[in-house]
């Protein structure tokens, strides 16, 4: 019989119950007991949704982040988390977001650095290492969840992050070698595994997605050493790899002394045969046969066609699962009653993906005839999607074919453009600006909700958003910022908003996916050729510019970020879809310029995260990604200043590609890492403007003028001051006005001090 299991279930809840429970707790409106009860209720519901599986994951649930959970399990908690006392939950949220309920806004506990989880739009809290780091086992979280699962009769497969990936994801704070910590870390892992065995656990899933990246010889050796040291400890280990092929790490992974290996067969299908050949006869092979990262229905016939021979070969040794944790897809398609029925019939969310798994296992074990009806329905949906007239638009194909190299070129080099721009913009040194969004208040969200429900007409909604824009412009003028923004009040999300206005996109009503902590996104569904039927932002920006004499930045999301943060069609290369998006954004850029907008920001927040995990594929990706940005951005005159913005990015290894984007100004996230990201600019003379983020917008703490000054002085020591801009890390939509105003006041004051000292 084929064993079915799941690597992880979305934990935010079909209705974002966890989000609301967390935010109530943080605001002091709910107790810790109430939060824990909500969390337990969600876990029970999620296990019930997985009851048809042979093994359900336990420990995949998290109140904020699974990497932070692992840090607590390993007793590896930054000392500052204990500084104000409190419960372990208080300490947990201090690391997660710099503040526990009841803590004063002293800004003294800085939140742990947050960065992207591999190539996804999920963020984890980075473990902080130094030479003195110690570990100590704390099983409390896993124990509680295991008990709950056992009480509910769940066949539990605990999930832990493996030692190699845990070290790999962390950062050394003092330059010491992370791998030197491996022996101490392994002692705690051995204890954890032994404890799991003592709890009667049969299998434990040990996640090692780092094996899908290009590892150097030392890390590969460390992997071997780690699993050799863990051999004989605990239950049977299922080593889980995902997000891509293992490449040269495949023999290493297959040779480890573990009881089973999980391979992402969606992205590494070509490695299945080699894995079978390399594994020992007693080892199981778990294949990720349902895409855990996208929302298209699995083509069950095509999957069975290659899986049936594998099953005949492996028999009991074959397990099947989604390719990775289902954290990256929404919970349940059943809630989507407003989607066009044709498009809806092409989709599968987490619950539906598990049903696909059940059908596959049934067909493998009992023959296709056993699930014939479901297979026929699946084939009909897959065929309908392939043949649908909604997908292809000849006009878009013609426009893409007509792209010329000149479309990606500005008329003059940056230095020359800068002279023209300076004459038009007349900005001071250390110009201050923000990244685009201002607080998305309850009033704004409720107005949008009423508009969606038909309770507020278009004129009423426009008036409400214009009132927000007026407030935002007034506040920025009062603060003395130099380049203003309209505040993005009218946008539900920087990607979904544009998707809603482009042909080729569909939207879910409730397809929430966790981005970080309590924050979620609803990735739009890019199913067909993309076209911009009409301008998308021009009226809002024109209105905002009419309210002020200061320059107003036009604000757009770039093609690569639209691509990386959408659920994207899988019937053509991503590069082709990205070019279509680039043409749509280019039209918008040119319309903004025609409307008199002198600065246009094209956010490419997701450019870095889209980088393939394996290095040998970087050049190809960067080639088309940079080209797409340039097509979108470069159809403007020299006097128009193009900005771009990126968050959570390591730039060291792609700085040349970033320079090749040739934006006049780039604003980047740097504050949580103490400007470490500026290392990229050492030794590489980046010629254009740079705004290193000096205010960590993900934390409710207010940065002081002195903290901001210190960061800017650090930046000015490495980058010529004439190139520097002063701005927050990212948009301010998650913050409240009471938080934003003092922080920006301090930021503007810091810029003035720098100017006076210059
Ligand atoms: C910059 N970031 C983004 C990423 N990905 C994106 N797709 N977008 C991004 O901006 N990745 C990296 C980072 C991640 N950062 C964030 C930051 C903030 C959020 C966030 O705030 N998400 C919101 C949901 C946003 C949204 O879609 N809002 C809608 C619906 C609002 C809503 O919940 N309405 C209520 C009714 C009103 C009420 O009572 O509050 C409802 O529907 O029930 C809108 O504004 O219309 C979040 O709440 O999590 C995400 C990623
Ligand atoms: N303009 C967007 C960028 C976020 S990455 C914002 O300010 O929210
Ligand atoms: Zn950002």
């Amino acid at each position: 019989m084929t064993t079915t299991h799941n690597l992880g279930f979305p934990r935010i809840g079909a209705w974002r119950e966890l989000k609301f429970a967390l935010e109530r707790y943080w605001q002091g409106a709910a107790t810790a007991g109430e939060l824990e009860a909500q969390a337990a209720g969600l876990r029970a519901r999620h296990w019930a949704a997985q009851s048809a599986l042979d093994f359900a994951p336990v420990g995949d649930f998290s109140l904020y982040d699974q990497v932070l959970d692992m840090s607590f399990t390993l007793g590896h908690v930054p000392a500052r988390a204990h500084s104000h006392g409190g419960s372990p939950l208080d300490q947990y949220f201090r690391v997660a977001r710099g503040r526990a309920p009841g803590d004063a806004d002293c800004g003294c506990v800085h939140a742990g650095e947050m960065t992207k989880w591999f190539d996804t739009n999920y963020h984890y809290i980075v473990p902080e290492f130094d030479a003195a780091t110690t570990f100590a086992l704390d099983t409390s979280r896993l124990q509680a969840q295991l008990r709950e699962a056992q009480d509910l009769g769940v066949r539990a497969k605990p999930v832990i992050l493996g030692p190699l990936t845990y070290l790999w994801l962390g950062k050394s704070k003092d330059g010491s070698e992370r791998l030197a910590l491996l022996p101490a870390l392994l002692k705690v892992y051995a204890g954890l595994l032994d404890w799991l065995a003592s709890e009667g656990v049969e299998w434990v899933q040990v996640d090692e997605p780092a094996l899908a990246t290009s590892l150097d010889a030392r890390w590969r050796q460390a992997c071997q050493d780690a699993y050799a040291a863990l051999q004989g400890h605990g239950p049977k280990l299922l080593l889980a790899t995902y997000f891509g092929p293992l490449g040269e790490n495949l023999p290493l992974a297959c040779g480890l002394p573990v009881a089973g290996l999980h391979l992402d067969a969606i992205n590494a299908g070509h490695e299945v045969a080699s894995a079978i050949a390399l594994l020992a006869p007693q080892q199981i092979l778990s294949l990720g046969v349902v895409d855990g990262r996208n929302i298209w229905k699995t083509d069950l016939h095509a999957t069975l066609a290659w899986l049936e021979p594998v099953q005949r070969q492996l028999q009991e040794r074959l397990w099947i699962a989604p390719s990775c944790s289902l954290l990256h897809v929404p919970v349940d398609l059943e809630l989507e009653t407003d989607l066009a029925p044709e498009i809806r019939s092409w989709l599968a969310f987490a619950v539906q993906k598990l049903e696909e798994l059940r059908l596959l296992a049934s067909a493998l074990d009992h023959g296709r005839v056993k699930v014939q009806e479901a297979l026929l329905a699946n084939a009909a949906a897959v065929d309908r999607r392939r043949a649908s007239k909604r997908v292809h638009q000849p006009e878009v194909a013609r426009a893409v074919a007509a792209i010329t190299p000149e479309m990606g070129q500005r008329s003059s080099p940056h230095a020359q453009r800068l002279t023209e721009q300076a004459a038009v913009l007349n900005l001071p040194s250390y110009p201050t600006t923000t990244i685009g969004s201002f607080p998305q208040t309850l009033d704004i969200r409720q107005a949008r909700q009423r508009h969606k429900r038909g309770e507020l007409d278009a004129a009423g909604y426009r008036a409400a958003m214009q009132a927000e824009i007026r407030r935002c412009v007034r506040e920025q003028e009062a603060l003395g910022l130099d380049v203003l923004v309209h505040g993005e009040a009218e946008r539900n999300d920087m990607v979904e908003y544009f998707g809603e206005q482009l042909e080729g996109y569909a939207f879910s009503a409730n397809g929430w996916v966790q981005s970080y902590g309590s924050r979620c996104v609803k990735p739009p569904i890019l199913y067909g050729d993309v076209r911009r039927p009409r301008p998308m932002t021009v009226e809002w920006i024109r209105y905002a510019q009419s309210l002020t004499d200061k320059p107003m930045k036009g604000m757009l999301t770039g093609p690569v970020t639209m691509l990386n943060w959408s659920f994207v069609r899988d019937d053509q290369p991503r590069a082709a879809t990205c070019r279509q998006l680039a043409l749509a954004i280019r039209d918008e850029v040119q319309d903004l310029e025609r409307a008199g907008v002198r600065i246009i920001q094209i956010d490419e927040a997701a450019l870095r995260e889209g980088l393939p995990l394996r290095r040998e594929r970087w050049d190809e990706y960067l080639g088309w990604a940079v080209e797409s940005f340039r097509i979108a951005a470069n159809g403007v005159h020299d006097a128009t200043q193009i900005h771009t913005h990126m968050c959570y990015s390591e730039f060291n290894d792609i700085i040349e590609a970033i320079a090749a984007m040739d934006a006049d100004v780039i604003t980047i996230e740097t504050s949580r890492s103490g400007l470490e990201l500026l290392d990229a600019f050492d030794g590489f003379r980046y010629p254009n403007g740079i705004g290193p983020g000096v205010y960590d917008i993900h934390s409710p703490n207010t940065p002081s003028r002195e903290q901001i000054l210190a960061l800017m002085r650090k930046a000015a020591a490495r980058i010529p001051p004439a190139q520097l801009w002063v701005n927050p890390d990212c948009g301010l939509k998650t913050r409240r006005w009471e938080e934003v105003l003092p922080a920006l006041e301090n930021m503007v004051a810091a810029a003035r001090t720098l100017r006076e000292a210059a």
Side-chain angles (χ1 to χ4, degrees):
M1 297 290 275
T2 309
T3 298
T4 55
H5 71 119
N6 186 18
L7 274 63
F9 196 82
R11 56 221 181 195
I12 201 73
W15 299 101
R16 291 182 292 164
E17 295 91 326
L18 180 59
K19 168 195 173 63
F20 298 117
L22 281 167
E23 291 177 359
R24 272 196 303 275
Y25 174 66
W26 292 335
Q27 286 153 15
T31 63
E34 285 163 339
L35 173 62
E36 296 288 7
Q38 287 262 5
L42 275 172
R43 288 191 286 268
R45 217 178 309 154
H46 297 165
W47 286 321
Q50 302 175 86
S51 59
L53 298 173
D54 293 311
F55 288 103
V58 171
D60 56 330
F61 186 91
S62 175
L63 286 176
Y64 202 95
D65 164 46
Q66 72 271 9
V67 180
L68 184 61
D69 287 355
M70 201 63 209
S71 290
F72 274 72
T73 298
L74 297 168
H76 174 221
V77 180
R80 63 182 185 279
H82 307 284
S83 57
H84 299 246
S87 65
L89 194 61
D90 287 339
Q91 289 156 22
Y92 181 82
F93 287 128
R94 269 187 212 121
V95 188
R97 53 195 301 274
R99 177 103 63 98
D103 285 359
D105 173 16
C106 59
C108 45
V109 180
H110 67 92
E113 188 179 338
M114 193 163 72
T115 199
K116 287 296 170 101
W117 173 246
F118 296 88
D119 58 353
T120 75
N121 195 5
Y122 175 80
H123 309 65
Y124 72 93
I125 303 286
V126 179
E128 299 170 20
F129 301 121
D130 58 38
T133 294
T134 55
F135 303 97
L137 182 60
D138 175 356
T139 59
S140 51
R141 173 187 57 93
L142 277 170
Q143 184 160 42
Q145 294 185 23
L146 203 50
R147 291 270 182 283
E148 280 171 23
Q150 284 161 347
D151 289 350
L152 291 167
V154 174
R155 202 163 164 208
K157 170 180 51 92
V159 180
I160 58 173
L161 189 57
L164 183 84
T165 300
Y166 183 73
L167 276 184
W168 190 85
L169 290 172
K171 266 192 184 169
S172 167
K173 294 280 147 183
D174 61 355
S176 60
E177 177 50 67
R178 276 172 291 168
L179 282 175
L181 300 172
L182 189 61
L185 183 64
L186 289 174
K187 284 199 184 111
V188 179
Y189 267 91
L192 173 59
L193 293 174
D194 288 339
W195 169 76
L196 284 168
S198 73
E199 291 289 308
V201 166
E202 184 188 354
W203 280 93
V204 57
Q205 173 186 321
V206 186
D207 284 358
E208 290 287 16
L211 284 168
T213 69
S214 304
L215 296 174
D216 68 25
R218 287 167 330 120
W219 282 89
R220 290 151 54 76
Q221 184 63 48
C223 182
Q224 205 142 21
D225 295 346
Y227 285 89
L230 295 178
Q231 195 171 8
H233 288 281
K236 289 184 260 189
L237 304 193
L238 176 68
L239 187 93
T241 66
Y242 40 84
F243 296 152
L246 301 189
E248 71 281 2
N249 299 331
L250 183 67
L252 167 69
C254 291
L256 295 173
V258 292
L261 174 72
H262 174 84
L263 261 194
D264 173 345
I266 298 295
N267 294 297
H270 59 285
E271 293 185 339
V272 171
S274 309
I276 295 172
L278 288 163
L279 285 170
Q282 74 284 2
Q283 283 179 301
I284 70 110
L285 178 60
S286 162
L287 292 177
V289 292
V290 168
D291 194 345
R293 292 279 295 273
N294 215 333
I295 40 65
W296 306 111
K297 261 191 178 140
T298 306
D299 181 341
L300 296 177
H301 277 282
T303 306
L304 284 169
W306 70 263
L307 197 53
E308 282 162 342
V310 171
Q311 193 269 343
R312 282 194 290 275
Q313 203 179 347
L314 292 178
Q315 301 195 2
E316 302 294 315
R317 289 172 56 214
L318 175 67
W319 288 27
I320 58 171
S323 57
C324 59
S325 164
L326 295 175
L327 178 66
H328 310 287
V329 292
V331 178
D332 193 355
L333 186 64
E334 281 299 309
L335 306 184
E336 298 303 326
T337 47
D338 292 345
L339 268 171
E342 186 191 4
I343 295 177
R344 191 176 184 278
S345 76
W346 303 340
L347 308 179
F349 291 178
V351 168
Q352 289 69 38
K353 283 173 187 290
L354 295 179
E355 172 60 10
E356 290 181 344
L357 209 59
R358 192 190 65 78
L359 290 171
L360 287 169
S362 195
L364 289 172
D365 294 340
H366 308 293
R368 294 191 194 194
V369 65
K370 179 86 181 169
V371 285
Q372 193 174 25
E373 218 172 293
L375 289 183
L376 284 174
N378 172 270
V382 169
D383 288 346
R384 274 198 309 270
R385 180 175 162 219
R386 232 169 249 145
S388 174
K389 291 211 169 57
R390 289 173 182 265
V391 174
H392 302 284
Q393 293 206 38
E395 187 191 328
V396 176
R398 276 195 295 275
V400 170
I403 292 176
T404 60
E406 292 72 41
M407 288 168 74
Q409 298 291 342
R410 304 258 334 230
S411 311
S412 314
H414 170 72
Q416 206 170 317
R417 301 195 304 260
L418 190 60
T419 313
E420 281 201 42
Q421 292 163 14
V424 177
L425 297 170
N426 197 22
L427 294 171
S429 61
Y430 294 104
T432 52
T433 190
T434 59
I435 304 304
S437 58
F438 267 80
Q440 280 274 328
T441 61
L442 190 60
D443 282 353
I444 296 177
R445 293 200 305 265
Q446 285 181 343
R448 187 152 42 247
Q449 197 184 37
R450 285 174 47 227
H451 178 47
K452 262 193 192 162
R453 285 194 190 137
E455 297 161 12
L456 180 63
D457 65 12
Y461 179 65
R462 191 170 55 247
M465 294 303 113
Q466 286 184 340
E468 289 297 333
I469 292 173
R470 280 198 299 279
R471 173 191 189 177
C472 188
V473 171
R474 202 172 55 233
E475 296 288 12
Q476 291 174 87
E477 287 199 315
L479 285 161
L481 286 154
D482 300 307
V483 172
L484 309 196
V485 296
H486 78 297
E488 304 182 25
E490 80 289 3
R491 301 183 187 179
N492 46 4
D493 172 68
M494 61 184 280
V495 169
E496 198 181 7
Y497 175 77
F498 288 97
E500 279 173 352
Q501 299 186 73
L502 291 169
E503 288 175 6
Y505 265 107
F507 328 92
S508 63
N510 214 47
W512 295 102
V513 177
Q514 192 177 13
S515 182
Y516 69 89
S518 70
R519 296 291 172 172
C520 301
V521 293
K522 216 159 7 94
I525 299 164
L526 200 168
Y527 64 86
D529 287 345
V530 174
R531 211 177 68 88
R532 186 196 74 143
R534 63 190 70 83
M536 303 182 281
T537 63
V538 176
E539 281 318 307
W540 297 113
I541 306 297
R542 206 201 300 264
Y543 176 70
Q545 183 67 84
S546 76
L547 302 171
T548 180
D549 293 332
K550 295 233 170 142
M552 175 64 58
K553 271 197 280 193
M555 192 59 59
L556 302 174
T557 302
V560 187
T561 300
M562 290 296 298
L563 183 86
N564 285 335
W565 288 353
S566 301
F567 288 125
V568 177
R569 59 195 287 190
D570 55 0
D571 60 343
Q572 69 178 18
R574 290 170 76 82
T577 306
C578 200
R579 277 190 200 103
Q580 294 182 2
L581 285 160
L583 288 178
I585 304 296
R586 177 183 174 92
D587 288 348
E588 187 71 12
V589 169
Q590 292 181 328
D591 277 343
L592 282 169
E593 186 184 55
R594 272 192 284 273
V597 179
R598 293 284 157 253
I599 305 185
I600 302 169
Q601 179 171 314
I602 307 170
D603 291 324
E604 281 298 16
L607 188 125
R608 173 64 170 84
E609 90 189 28
L611 207 57
L613 296 179
R614 304 203 55 81
R615 272 190 182 254
E616 63 270 18
R617 295 182 49 215
W618 282 17
D619 284 350
E620 190 243 343
Y621 166 79
L622 287 171
W624 59 255
V626 171
E627 182 210 15
S628 295
F629 177 84
R630 293 180 63 117
I631 291 169
N634 287 353
V636 292
H637 298 107
D638 284 353
T640 299
Q641 190 166 79
I642 297 289
H643 289 214
T644 189
H645 161 73
M646 296 186 187
C647 26
Y648 325 101
S649 295
E650 299 281 352
F651 298 108
N652 291 1
D653 36 17
I654 58 161
I655 188 71
E656 285 168 28
I658 290 186
M661 289 165 74
D662 200 19
D664 296 303
V665 179
I666 178 171
T667 56
I668 53 178
E669 184 274 337
T670 43
S671 79
R672 270 199 183 191
S673 68
L675 256 57
E676 207 180 88
L677 292 181
L678 290 185
D679 289 354
F681 296 87
D682 288 344
F684 181 87
R685 170 95 179 82
Y686 182 79
N688 304 8
I690 309 174
V694 287
Y695 156 18
D696 172 13
I697 60 86
H698 294 101
S699 166
N701 296 334
T702 309
S704 66
R705 190 188 72 107
E706 289 65 34
Q707 283 167 332
I708 295 173
L709 260 179
L711 287 175
M712 282 310 298
R713 287 192 175 123
K714 221 167 146 182
R718 329 171 79 161
I719 293 165
Q723 282 173 249
L724 286 174
W725 285 63
V726 184
N727 47 261
D729 259 359
C730 189
L732 301 166
K733 63 185 169 194
T734 59
R735 303 267 57 93
R736 290 177 293 124
W737 277 103
E738 307 86 274
E739 295 165 338
V740 159
L741 293 178
L744 291 180
E745 212 171 287
N746 293 344
M747 192 184 88
V748 171
R752 288 194 177 133
T753 308
L754 288 167
R755 275 174 216 155
E756 282 156 18

